[in-house]
Structures are given as C-alpha cells and as structure tokens.
Amino acid sequence: MEALLSSMGSKCPFLVRSSVSTLRTLAAQAPAGAAAAESGLAKVAGSCPVMSKALDAKKRAMHTSAPAHSAYPLQGFPAHPAKEAPLAPTHTPAAAAPAAAHNVAGTSTAGRPFDYDGFFNEQLEKKKKDKSYRYFNNINRLAQAYPTAHTGTGDNVTVWCANDYLGMSRHPVVTEAMKSAVDMYGTGAGGTRNIAGNAALHLRLEHALADLHGCDGALVFSSCFVANDATLCTLASKMPGTHIFSDASNHASMIQGIRNSRAAKHVFRHNDVAHLEELLQKVPIEAPKIIAFESVYSMCGSIGPTKEIIALAKKYNALTFLDEVHAVGMYGARGAGVAEYQDLMSEIDIFTGTLGKAFGVVGGYIAGSAKLVDMVRSYAPGFIFTTSLPPPVVAAALSSVEYLKESTLERSGQQLNVRDLKARLRDVGIPVVPNPSHIVPVMVGDAELAKRVSDDLLRDHAIYVQSINSPTVAVGEERLRITPTPGHTPPMMDHLVDSLLHLWRKHNLKFEKDWELAPRANVGTGLVVDQLVKMEDLAIPEHFEQARANNQPMLIH
C-alpha cells in the first residue's frame, strides 16, 4: 500500500490527504459476510468521479448473461460449437467460469442438475458403437479337469486362452501350501506391510524372487499392474529431470506409471532399437534415464531385443526396466524369464514379474538392487498404502516359484504344444501373427467378426478363446489369442483347428494367403520366425511322447 501511495498520491487528492493506516481501516470496514465491494474504501471510491465509472463497468461485466453455448467447454465433456463465431477468449480460463453447462444430448441444462446416468450411458454407447465394449464370459475353470471349465449354464468347454500357462493354479504343491497356510494363519493379511501385514511368508517370498532373478532385493505387490505403475512413477518422479523411453507396445500398467510420474516421455517404435538410439541421443548424458520394455509382448508374442537395449542403456547411461510378466516361470533354466534364457540377467537393473500367470496364483513384484528396492518400498504409495497379500496366497506363490526353479517338465510340455499348434494352423492357412514365443495370435482383422467367432466357438464348439479388440490391439488387427498349455491334448488341438477352419469359411474370413495384398502385423508377409526356445534346450521325458501318442495330457497331477 505504501508503494501505491508513492506512485498515485500526486494524482489523487484523496490519496494525498490519507494515511496508510486510514486506508487500511477503510478497507477492513465491511459487515460480516459482506463482499469486498461493500467495504468503507469501496464506498469512498464510489464518490470519486473516476473510480465510480470503473466500478460500474465491473458490475455490468459480472452480471452479464453467458452465451448458451460455450466455445470452450470443460475438458472431457461433449463440445457443442456455437452457431456464431466466438469472441476471442479473455485471460480468465474457460474451465474456471464455464459459460453454460450441457447435458449429454447437447441441450442446455442451465439451472438443472447434471445428468450423470445419461453421460455414463453415452460413454458406453460410444464403446458399443466402435465394437470395443467388453463382454465378460462366465468361465469357471475346473481344477480337477484342467484345461476344462464350465460356463454359467453348466456346459463344459475347453479353455484355450488362460494365462495360467503351466497349470500351476491346480498343482498339488501349490494348493496344499495354500490350504496349510489358511489353517495356520487364516485368510487375510490383517493390514498393510507397515501395520500387521508383514509376515515371515512375505519375507521368504521376496527372498525367493530376488534369488530367482539373481538380485539383492525384491518387493511383492498386490499385482504387477500396481508394481509397474508404482515403481515407474516413484523412480521417475523422485529422480530430478528423468526421461523415460518406452516401447510403443508396452502394457497399460507401464504407460500408467509413466503418465503418473509426469516425467519426460519418449516412445520408440516397437522393438526398434535404431529409433530408440535416435531418441536417446537427444537427451543429455547427465540426465537420469529409464528404458522400459517387455520380454514377451502378450498380444503379438514378439520378444524384446534385450541384448541390444542393454547395450544402448550402457552407452547412454540409462536404467533398464524389464517387464517379464509373460515370461517368468516359462523361460530359463529356473523359470526366471527370457533374460535368464539369454544369459542376460546380470545386465538388467529392474525386473518386474507376476505371480498370477505361469506361477498360477496372484500378485506382482519387482527385483533389483537392495537400495533401489528399498527406495521403492519407502516411497511408493501403491506399496505403502494397501493391504498386503494374504498369507495363503503368499504361501502358494512361494511354493510355485520354488517348484518351478527345479521342475522343467511344465516348460517343456508347453513348448511342445506351442510348436505343434502353430504348425497345424500354418498347414491349413489359418493366419497366425508370426512370433518366437508361446503366444498364438490368430488374426481376424475386424472387431465385430472377432467377437462373433469367439461367441460361435463357445456356443457351438465348446471352445473358449477370447477375442482381443481395440484399444488392446490396433484397429484392423483384432484377433483371437490362443495359449497352449501342457494340459492340452492332440484331440483337443484337432477339434480347435477343425472348428477354426469351419468358422473361417462360415464367416468368409481371410486366410494367410488373403492377407498378402494388405499385410497387417506381419501376417501375409511370408515371414517365418523360429521359436526362441530351441528343441535341444527342452528336457523331454519319454512318457511325454507316450502320452501324446495315446492322446493323453503330458502332465497329470
């Protein structure tokens, strides 16, 4: 206020005669609950021939009605362009003072409550219209009849798309561990890891996971979605000026963690190390960097160029963040994943994995250096503020991890069936996205048709294979995602292939040769990809071949 008097005192007779204390007293003189415009100072200003005009103009501006259609609607709400050209925006953000509200149909709702259900319904109709709406089938997998399930109507179907890749969810070693833990510790953890939820079982599981990946430490989360989100967000937000380099096909959990971190993000084309290096070159060497990628990409089955990415990380001083969710349990001598199979584990900074797929239980984890893991433990809200996994779940996961460190039978059986099914589909021209992993993506190329084929398989052929549509895969690359397990038999494969052939002809779908004019996801290019796991690396016992010859499952527990 002293500065105001100094600059304006010579121009205003009132200010010349008034002290600072007088002005402050007048400014404070307003009835309780009254607006600032009703203060004593405002009343004096109203008598001034100059200030009175300015105050009148301000009042008129404040009470002028807003146009019926805002040219600057709230972000996330339907936009309705005004019929007349909008005025240039003022310095006041439109979101702070929207001109008018609208309901989802586009009509004015001034004075009426927002139509929540109408808005929700509009969003759902959008997804139904573009065929991305998700329908959940009622599938109840039967432990004693793996890989069979019953539907909501009680009909039995063969499941060909589960992520219980090795059938460990029903292995006696796993189920007995869970039952024993229920009897000993009950069903719940009792709290967060900080409050009553940190048991000896949790510590043993983390020690086993650290050992699996050859790391100093590991940390268990409620899921690997949470592990990816929490770890990337924590690391990138805590390290000042972090840049994250993310593969274009990374899982939504990694994308979410990167987004939540608000760090600088650079997306490189899927498995394109040349593009990755081009982006790395633009960032100063002293800036913290994380390269986030996956070992097995679950919807296309491709495998990340781990060795090449490690080399770039060393060259440009970056941390490597490797998601092994669709590889742990299935690759490597002890089931640690693709990095183990390729003898690259010691070169990776951060592993993430799941306990809910090949290990057959639920949960996620990270593994890395002791300091890195402890920092995430100490700062990640997704770890700190959630109830820890129940002891029976942890006991079952621990038993599964330790069992698969020793047993190679499940991995070998899976690889044999994957090779067999891919060969059968190739022989009859069913279009499979070429890849070196255990995933068998069958290309359809249309969202509505993909769902129709999935429905027909379930209803008419007692086969459950879920259709995969946008945004999980690109529009025009909709597919069926098939995952053979050690429990599938040759007759089951015969039935699956015959059923697909029937439906491909029924719906006039494209065979492999039909994709040659306009290839998608390497379908129609003639590309042949060898399996990552070589036959000579598989430990195939004699009884496997005997079981297959007798049309029996290779593993019976």
Side-chain angles (χ1 to χ4, degrees):
M1 189 166 284
E2 286 84 349
L4 175 65
L5 284 173
S6 175
S7 61
M8 299 297 295
S10 60
K11 301 176 182 179
C12 176
F14 175 72
L15 292 178
V16 169
R17 297 193 303 268
S18 302
S19 66
V20 172
S21 60
T22 299
L23 293 173
R24 285 182 175 145
T25 300
L26 286 170
Q29 288 176 352
E38 299 177 23
S39 68
L41 187 59
K43 291 178 181 179
V44 174
S47 303
C48 173
V50 177
M51 290 302 298
S52 61
K53 294 178 181 179
L55 291 172
D56 287 342
K58 183 177 181 181
K59 288 179 182 178
R60 287 195 300 273
M62 290 176 64
H63 292 89
T64 299
S65 297
H69 292 281
S70 171
Y72 309 98
L74 289 173
Q75 184 178 1
F77 286 79
H80 306 284
K83 294 181 180 179
E84 299 180 2
L87 297 174
T90 66
H91 65 279
T92 303
H102 296 79
N103 66 14
V104 293
T107 58
S108 174
T109 60
R112 296 207 307 270
F114 183 79
D115 182 4
Y116 292 102
D117 278 346
F119 177 78
F120 301 151
N121 184 65
E122 183 194 47
Q123 299 306 303
L124 292 171
E125 288 302 317
K126 285 180 180 178
K127 295 197 75 65
K128 291 177 181 178
K129 186 175 181 180
D130 68 14
K131 309 303 179 184
S132 66
Y133 183 79
R134 297 174 188 267
Y135 295 88
F136 294 164
N137 287 306
N138 187 337
I139 300 296
N140 308 273
R141 298 188 309 119
L142 297 167
Q144 301 307 315
Y146 174 82
T148 301
H150 71 76
T151 65
T153 60
D155 297 325
N156 282 356
V157 298
T158 302
V159 178
W160 276 100
C161 59
N163 287 338
D164 184 11
Y165 292 123
L166 304 179
M168 291 302 295
S169 68
R170 40 89 66 177
H171 195 290
V173 166
V174 178
T175 58
E176 290 303 318
M178 180 173 280
K179 292 173 185 176
S180 296
V182 169
D183 292 339
M184 177 71 73
Y185 300 111
T187 59
T192 66
R193 291 289 292 273
N194 188 51
I195 304 176
N198 186 54
L201 282 170
H202 295 84
L203 302 177
R204 286 174 58 196
L205 176 58
E206 287 170 347
H207 183 270
L209 292 168
D211 170 72
L212 178 68
H213 291 283
C215 296
D216 297 329
L219 195 64
V220 172
F221 290 79
S222 56
S223 73
C224 200
F225 191 107
V226 176
N228 282 348
D229 179 6
T231 303
L232 283 170
C233 179
T234 300
L235 292 177
S237 61
K238 287 298 179 184
M239 294 189 296
T242 297
H243 291 254
I244 301 182
F245 299 81
S246 176
D247 188 287
S249 293
N250 274 345
H251 189 263
S253 58
M254 300 165 77
I255 296 170
Q256 187 72 17
I258 295 168
R259 181 184 293 122
N260 288 341
S261 76
R262 301 186 180 181
K265 176 183 68 175
H266 310 268
V267 178
F268 59 94
R269 291 184 291 270
H270 178 51
N271 279 356
D272 190 336
V273 291
H275 187 215
L276 171 59
E277 180 163 25
E278 180 184 324
L279 296 174
L280 285 164
Q281 289 172 341
K282 298 177 181 179
V283 177
I285 192 69
E286 63 271 17
K289 292 175 281 290
I290 301 172
I291 303 174
F293 64 109
E294 300 181 35
S295 58
V296 177
Y297 290 85
S298 63
M299 292 300 142
C300 62
S302 61
I303 290 179
T306 307
K307 184 176 182 179
E308 293 80 0
I309 289 178
I310 289 170
L312 289 178
K314 290 181 177 180
K315 182 177 180 180
Y316 294 97
N317 190 34
L319 292 176
T320 47
F321 181 102
L322 178 59
D323 179 313
E324 291 259 33
V325 163
H326 291 273
V328 289
M330 294 172 283
Y331 296 85
R334 300 199 308 158
V338 170
E340 182 187 30
Y341 184 78
Q342 297 176 329
D343 196 22
L344 296 170
M345 278 204 306
S346 62
E347 308 294 327
I348 296 294
D349 296 300
I350 312 161
F351 292 96
T352 69
T354 183
L355 304 170
K357 293 182 171 56
F359 291 127
V361 194
V362 70
Y365 65 89
I366 65 169
S369 71
K371 288 188 184 334
L372 184 151
V373 169
D374 197 20
M375 179 181 155
V376 174
R377 183 191 70 87
S378 302
Y379 285 96
F383 173 80
I384 298 170
F385 299 106
T386 189
T387 300
S388 64
L389 288 176
V393 169
V394 177
L398 174 61
S399 295
S400 185
V401 170
E402 295 291 15
Y403 173 84
L404 287 174
K405 285 180 182 179
E406 303 297 331
S407 176
T408 61
L409 295 178
E410 289 75 13
R411 291 190 278 278
S412 296
Q414 180 199 37
Q415 288 293 329
L416 283 176
N417 276 347
V418 168
R419 289 171 179 273
D420 192 0
L421 182 59
K422 284 185 176 181
R424 290 175 186 236
L425 294 174
R426 184 170 57 247
D427 289 345
V428 298
I430 295 293
V432 175
V433 177
N435 70 78
S437 75
H438 60 282
I439 310 294
V440 186
V442 174
M443 181 68 77
V444 177
D446 180 90
E448 187 171 6
L449 284 173
K451 184 182 184 305
R452 192 177 303 166
V453 171
S454 175
D455 291 344
D456 286 357
L457 284 169
L458 187 63
R459 182 185 62 249
D460 301 331
H461 301 271
I463 290 172
Y464 175 51
V465 179
Q466 185 62 40
S467 60
I468 307 297
N469 298 332
S470 173
T472 307
V473 296
V475 173
E477 296 183 7
E478 294 83 0
R479 62 197 63 180
L480 305 176
R481 178 182 179 271
I482 300 173
T483 54
T485 73
H488 288 101
T489 64
M492 290 177 182
M493 287 195 198
D494 291 338
H495 181 52
L496 173 64
V497 174
D498 290 344
S499 300
L500 289 173
L501 269 175
H502 171 76
L503 292 175
W504 245 246
R505 291 166 180 150
K506 174 184 175 180
H507 296 295
N508 196 28
L509 299 178
K510 291 181 181 179
F511 284 83
E512 175 73 29
K513 60 182 177 55
D514 300 319
W515 285 95
E516 293 176 0
L517 294 176
R520 294 296 296 264
N522 285 324
V523 173
T525 63
L527 178 66
V528 177
V529 179
D530 293 332
Q531 290 297 110
L532 173 70
V533 178
K534 308 303 179 188
M535 281 296 294
E536 55 267 27
D537 294 332
L538 299 178
I540 304 173
E542 185 177 339
H543 73 268
F544 271 21
E545 296 299 340
Q546 293 175 347
R548 289 167 60 83
N550 294 328
N551 295 326
Q552 297 296 317
M554 288 175 279
L555 292 173
I556 300 177
H557 298 303

